[in-house]
């Protein structure tokens, strides 16, 4: 018998306690040597006045065990409550979200019988950095943060996952035909790291047509790696078209700590009725067992689950006349899985696990060491809240406010150049970007010049709501041009 492994468990809200009880019952029956520390998170903690939904003592348990099996939680209605999932992922550095999406044809209805796709989603940055501001009466913004280290970690994890799970291809989805710098960086890093794995096929798709292809012909994909937002949306899509979101488990992997869960929510309307399907959480627990080096127990539980599905023992959400044989509740489904421990499926493909390291242990470092680029300040974008007229009026009014060697070269509105030479048909909000560059091309700008410029703009009665300094890196432009610029 293996030594006991400590894990932290949260029973959650809604159907959470029922599916967690079922999952732990199966793990115990399979002989998983687990020492469980239980923590409270979610609705009860929120309503006690903790806006994060998790107590300090819970963090201590997570840092001690480094393994978290979490049931779904309910976030109370109304403002002021933070997403617990996002908080845990970002606080503990859980940078990789891994979601296998597999069809179980012919026992669970699907249009894609051969589907077997793993979505690897970046988990910490992108728009989920959550940096938002209301800047004018009409306009709010959300900053999209893509970093080279964050991209390198998730892309390398995807290739390492493919290598260790005998997956033949890794595909990246981005929108770098539009977001040339943010998604462009992710794509560039993907190409750099892909070159270090010549045995693994690689490809890149623009996310919109890639999503369409994933929904229509998922069998052409194997392992797909994406920035945070695309990965969040498309992992749910992939799980649903495989058969059901309710069947999908999820791993959140960090350098030191990992969290395992179902991808569905707490479904409070189904709570306490012995109806909920525990499969998503159970398959998340299978991923946990592999992570803590209990691959034999993981295989035993997963194969027993497959045999249960194959035998037509189904909860209400996947029960279908003519395919299913017995409709059961949460507890009865767990007992059916326990009864099949030691058995393997006869038609569905059985599984066999080996230990999968929780962090990259390849020859290459997860994040490469690079020579820092030479950074040169070459201008500034000043954003104004202004609704007193048209673009030509604004341009005429502020072009003489430039300080020293700076000059106004362009005004844009919502990313479209509107001065000089704008078009009357372009709709403009009250949110204007005014670009100031050196009067003499090829020269740099000082922070003092920018401060003086902002002072003159403010004294003239304008409201500069934000600035973005414009830099070159090793002589290469580090900022975007606008449409029409």
């Amino acid at each position: 018998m293996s030594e006991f492994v400590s894990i932290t468990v949260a029973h959650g809200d809604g159907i959470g306690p029922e599916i967690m009880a079922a999952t732990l019952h199966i793990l115990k029956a399979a002989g998983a040597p687990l020492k469980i520390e239980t923590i409270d998170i979610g609705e009860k903690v929120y309503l006690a006045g903790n806006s994060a939904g998790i107590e300090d003592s819970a963090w201590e348990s997570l840092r001690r065990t480094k393994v978290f099996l979490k049931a779904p939680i309910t976030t109370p209605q109304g403002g002021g409550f933070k997403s617990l999932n996002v908080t845990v992922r970002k606080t503990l550095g859980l940078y990789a979200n891994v979601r296998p999406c597999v069809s179980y044809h012919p026992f669970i209805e699907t249009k894609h019988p051969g589907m077997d796709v793993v979505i690897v989603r970046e988990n910490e940055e992108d728009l989920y950095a959550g940096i938002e501001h209301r800047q004018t009466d009409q306009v709010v913004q959300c900053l999209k943060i893509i970093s080279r280290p964050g991209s390198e970690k998730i892309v390398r994890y995807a290739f390492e996952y493919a290598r260790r799970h005998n997956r033949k291809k890794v595909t990246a989805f981005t929108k770098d035909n539009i977001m040339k710098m943010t998604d462009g960086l992710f794509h560039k890093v993907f190409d750099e790291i892909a070159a270090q794995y010549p045995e693994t096929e690689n490809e890149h798709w623009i996310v919109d047509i890639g999503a369409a292809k994933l929904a229509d012909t998922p069998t052409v994909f194997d392992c797909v790696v994406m920035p945070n937002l695309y990965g969040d949306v498309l992992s749910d899509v992939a799980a649903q078209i495989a058969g059901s979101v309710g069947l999908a488990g999820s791993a959140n992997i960090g350098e030191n700590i990992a969290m395992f869960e179902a991808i569905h929510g707490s479904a409070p309307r189904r709570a306490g009725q012995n109806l909920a399907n525990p499969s998503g959480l159970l398959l998340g627990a299978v991923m946990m067992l592999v992570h803590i080096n209990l691959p034999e127990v993981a295989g035993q539980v997963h194969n027993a689950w497959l045999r249960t599905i194959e035998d037509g023992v189904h909860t209400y959400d996947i029960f279908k006349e003519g395919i299913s044989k017995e409709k059961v509740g949460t507890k009865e489904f767990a007992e059916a899985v326990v009864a099949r421990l030691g058995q393997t499926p006869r038609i569905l493909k059985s599984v066999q696990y080996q230990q999968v390291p929780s962090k990259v242990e390849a020859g290459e470092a997860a994040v490469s060491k690079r020579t820092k680029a030479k950074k040169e300040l070459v201008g500034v974008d000043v954003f104004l809240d202004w609704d007193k007229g048209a673009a030509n009026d604004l341009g005429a009014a502020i072009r003489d406010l430039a300080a020293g060697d700076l000059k106004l070269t362009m005004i844009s509105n919502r990313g479209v150049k509107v001065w000089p030479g704008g078009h009357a048909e372009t709709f403009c909000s009250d949110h204007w970007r005014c670009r100031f560059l050196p009067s003499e091309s090829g020269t740099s700008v000082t922070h003092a010049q920018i401060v003086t410029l902002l002072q003159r703009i403010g004294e003239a009665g304008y409201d500069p709501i934000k600035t973005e300094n414009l830099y070159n890196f090793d002589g290469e432009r580090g900022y975007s041009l606008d449409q029409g610029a």
Side-chain angles (χ1 to χ4, degrees):
M1 174 65 69
S2 302
E3 294 183 3
F4 278 81
V5 179
S6 294
I7 68 169
T8 300
V9 169
H11 290 259
D13 304 310
I15 62 172
E18 296 169 83
I19 62 173
M20 181 60 78
T23 296
L24 294 178
H25 174 58
I26 295 167
L27 299 187
K28 181 178 179 181
L34 302 175
K35 181 180 179 182
I36 294 172
E37 297 186 11
T38 301
I39 62 172
D40 286 329
I41 62 171
E43 188 172 35
K44 181 170 68 175
V45 180
Y46 281 123
L47 296 179
N50 188 317
S51 64
I54 181 170
E55 299 284 2
D56 290 343
S57 59
W59 293 116
E60 294 171 8
S61 176
L62 293 172
R63 293 188 177 98
R64 183 167 51 252
T65 68
K66 304 187 185 307
V67 180
F68 187 19
L69 182 60
K70 184 185 78 66
I73 63 104
T74 298
T75 302
Q77 296 289 328
F81 298 109
K82 300 176 184 178
S83 166
L84 179 62
N85 275 352
V86 173
T87 297
V88 171
R89 289 168 182 165
K90 292 172 69 172
T91 301
L92 300 179
L94 308 183
Y95 66 89
N97 181 233
V98 184
R99 295 185 176 185
C101 302
V102 183
S103 66
Y104 304 102
H105 177 81
F107 306 102
I108 294 176
E109 188 175 21
T110 176
K111 295 179 181 179
H112 306 291
M115 183 175 177
D116 185 358
V117 178
V118 175
I119 306 294
V120 179
R121 163 194 171 195
E122 196 285 320
N123 223 13
E124 295 181 290
E125 46 188 42
D126 192 11
L127 292 167
Y128 284 46
I131 304 173
E132 297 184 287
H133 306 90
R134 181 173 179 177
Q135 297 189 315
T136 72
D137 181 62
Q138 299 174 3
V139 176
V140 294
Q141 75 164 15
C142 180
L143 295 182
K144 181 182 176 83
I145 305 296
I146 300 287
S147 72
R148 172 170 278 275
S151 300
E152 287 188 3
K153 285 197 299 182
I154 194 62
V155 171
R156 187 172 299 285
Y157 186 91
F159 277 94
E160 285 293 313
Y161 184 96
R163 172 186 281 175
R164 290 186 168 92
H165 289 81
N166 198 32
R167 301 236 165 209
K168 305 302 182 185
K169 182 171 67 173
V170 178
T171 304
F173 283 5
T174 74
K175 190 64 177 173
D176 65 338
N177 59 330
I178 303 298
M179 289 167 281
K180 299 179 185 297
M181 300 194 71
T182 49
D183 281 26
L185 175 60
F186 192 94
H187 188 178
K188 181 179 180 181
V189 168
F190 177 82
D191 288 344
E192 291 171 359
I193 292 179
Q196 300 167 20
Y197 293 82
E199 75 283 3
T200 304
E201 184 183 350
N202 71 85
E203 62 179 5
H204 170 267
W205 288 68
I206 298 298
V207 66
D208 42 13
I209 188 62
K213 190 69 173 178
L214 178 65
D216 179 69
T217 319
T219 50
V220 303
F221 298 107
D222 195 353
C223 182
V224 186
V225 62
M226 289 178 266
N228 205 335
L229 176 61
Y230 312 144
D232 189 8
V233 174
L234 292 182
S235 57
D236 277 13
V237 171
Q240 185 63 30
I241 65 176
S244 171
V245 168
L247 300 181
S250 173
N252 299 271
I253 306 296
E255 297 280 341
N256 301 298
I257 300 174
M259 177 173 72
F260 303 87
E261 57 186 343
I263 73 171
H264 59 73
S266 60
R269 289 184 302 171
R270 303 294 185 187
Q273 301 171 52
N274 192 37
L275 288 173
N277 188 342
S279 296
L281 184 59
L282 180 63
L283 294 181
V286 167
M287 299 172 78
M288 178 194 73
L289 293 173
V290 176
H291 175 80
I292 61 178
N293 197 21
L294 295 171
E296 292 183 0
V297 182
Q300 185 183 27
V301 171
H302 199 165
N303 282 322
W305 179 85
L306 288 168
R307 183 62 178 266
T308 304
I309 295 298
E310 192 177 84
D311 287 346
V313 182
H314 297 164
T315 48
Y316 82 97
D317 55 313
I318 57 173
F319 185 89
K320 188 171 181 61
E321 293 290 348
I323 296 176
S324 306
K325 296 179 180 178
E326 183 181 0
K327 183 186 291 187
V328 296
T330 312
K331 295 177 182 178
E332 292 76 20
F333 184 84
E335 292 296 350
V337 175
V338 169
R340 289 162 176 80
L341 289 169
Q343 300 180 34
T344 56
R346 293 165 295 188
I347 298 174
L348 296 173
K349 184 180 178 181
S350 64
V351 298
Q352 185 175 4
Y353 288 107
Q354 297 178 342
Q355 181 185 8
V356 179
S358 60
K359 56 184 177 180
V360 172
E361 295 176 358
E364 299 285 343
V367 178
S368 63
K369 294 182 179 180
R370 303 173 65 251
T371 301
K372 193 171 183 177
K374 180 183 177 182
K375 181 179 178 182
E376 181 185 13
L377 181 61
V378 296
V380 63
D381 282 342
V382 180
F383 293 77
L384 300 180
D385 180 352
W386 186 78
D387 61 357
K388 305 300 183 184
N392 286 338
D393 301 322
L394 182 61
I398 68 170
R399 61 185 170 188
D400 295 331
L401 297 177
D405 294 328
L406 288 176
K407 67 176 182 179
L408 178 67
T409 63
M410 181 267 290
I411 299 175
S412 71
N413 195 288
R414 299 191 304 165
V416 179
K417 178 185 173 184
V418 293
W419 182 94
H423 298 275
E425 295 82 4
T426 304
F427 174 80
C428 293
S429 72
D430 57 0
H431 188 276
W432 307 83
R433 176 167 60 163
C434 305
R435 176 160 291 176
F436 294 87
L437 296 173
S439 299
E440 184 179 343
S441 179
T443 60
S444 58
V445 173
T446 67
H447 289 96
Q449 285 177 281
I450 295 174
V451 171
T452 301
L453 171 65
L454 291 174
Q455 184 175 1
R456 291 170 65 119
I457 291 173
E459 289 174 348
Y462 296 94
D463 180 13
I465 50 179
K466 67 171 286 189
T467 63
E468 290 287 351
N469 290 350
L470 308 179
Y471 292 98
N472 287 344
F473 292 83
D474 286 340
E476 182 177 341
R477 176 171 50 83
Y479 51 92
S480 64
L481 299 177
D482 283 294
Q483 300 171 34

